[in-house]
Amino acid sequence: MTVTDLSSRPGPPALVLVAHGSRDPRALSTVRALMDRVRARRPGLSVRLGHIELNEPLLPDTLAALGNSEAVLVPLLLGRGHHVKRDIPEMAAAARARIAAPLGPHPLLADTLHARLLEAGWRPRPASAVVLAAAGSRDPDARADTGRMAGLLAARLGVPVLAAYASAATPAVPDAITALRARGRQHIALASYFTAPGRFATESAAHAPWIASAPLGAHEAMADLVVHRYERALGTPVTAAA
């Protein structure tokens, strides 16, 4: 009888966080902090980072370093835009990699957005509302995803939530604020629907007439969502090898 050497069995596929990349140095530090939280949830699981552009390591370099090892790519993106549909699949075409769904929309993002609003001073007030400020995309699926996220947040907060965009789509953030004021909403908060700090998040927050929350960042619920997307891509919960 042959005794199987358990230590020789391959571990589960690596989890590769796929970040967009930013010239803002806070973005890279935020993504690394999120990566640390993910690692804490799955000790022993190989957790890597790759960027689409602007920051190192770039995703093709991360995949090359994995060689023939399997991986699951978890996009730190909030909807089904061009990066999810085209850029990431093209970069991963030669690798042994599966691609998980983008993070949004999902109830765990509503948890995170609510927490960030509370940190910024959110309290329900008469005639209050929220602008969900997102990066924007020309892809209708991406806009639909942001609209669904606005609905999830509205259900969570019990106030109107209007999706708005920093670029490439309408309404723009200032126009959304104007529209809510025309509806009699006097206390309008801005929820930053961005994974990490950057130019669009900063520009959007500058328009806030009341409070503006911080981006989603390395919140605990974000780490839970990353692991959830990874496991859904595999089709089963994973216990990492020790």
Side-chain angles (χ1 to χ4, degrees):
M1 179 181 295
T2 301
V3 177
T4 301
D5 182 1
L6 296 180
S7 65
S8 66
R9 291 182 179 177
L15 190 164
V16 179
L17 299 171
V18 183
H20 182 278
S22 172
R23 292 182 177 85
D24 189 321
R26 296 173 298 170
L28 181 56
S29 61
T30 298
V31 172
R32 284 175 171 165
L34 178 58
M35 185 165 58
D36 288 343
R37 288 194 184 278
V38 172
R39 283 174 171 156
R41 279 158 173 73
R42 289 295 183 271
L45 179 65
S46 176
V47 180
R48 308 290 185 95
L49 173 62
H51 292 90
I52 296 170
E53 60 182 358
L54 298 175
N55 292 121
E56 294 182 349
L58 293 171
L59 178 57
D61 296 332
T62 298
L63 294 175
L66 286 170
N68 292 323
S69 299
E70 291 185 280
V72 173
L73 313 186
V74 181
L76 299 182
L77 302 170
L78 301 173
R80 296 167 293 163
H82 183 82
H83 292 313
V84 168
K85 292 180 177 181
R86 295 288 300 276
D87 292 339
I88 295 174
E90 287 175 1
M91 291 178 182
R96 296 181 65 196
R98 303 179 221 186
I99 303 174
L103 298 185
H106 195 276
L108 284 170
L109 291 177
D111 292 346
T112 308
L113 289 163
H114 187 201
R116 295 303 189 207
L117 283 167
L118 289 173
E119 291 169 359
W122 165 264
R123 297 294 182 272
R125 296 186 180 185
S128 59
V130 172
V131 169
L132 182 67
S137 172
R138 294 182 179 86
D139 190 303
D141 288 336
R143 295 194 297 274
D145 288 342
T146 305
R148 287 178 56 202
M149 194 63 238
L152 289 172
L153 186 58
R156 179 65 182 267
L157 299 178
V159 303
V161 176
L162 184 58
Y165 304 96
S167 70
T170 58
V173 171
D175 295 336
I177 293 168
T178 298
L180 287 170
R181 281 177 170 155
R183 299 179 198 174
R185 298 291 164 175
Q186 300 173 1
H187 297 97
I188 302 171
L190 186 137
S192 295
Y193 193 43
F194 302 94
T195 306
R199 178 168 66 90
F200 285 159
T202 300
E203 291 176 355
S204 296
H207 294 294
W210 177 28
I211 60 170
S213 68
L216 298 160
H219 191 274
E220 296 283 355
M222 290 287 285
D224 291 338
L225 181 53
V226 167
V227 173
H228 170 73
R229 291 302 195 205
Y230 170 82
E231 292 184 342
R232 284 290 298 271
L234 288 179
T236 181
V238 170
T239 301

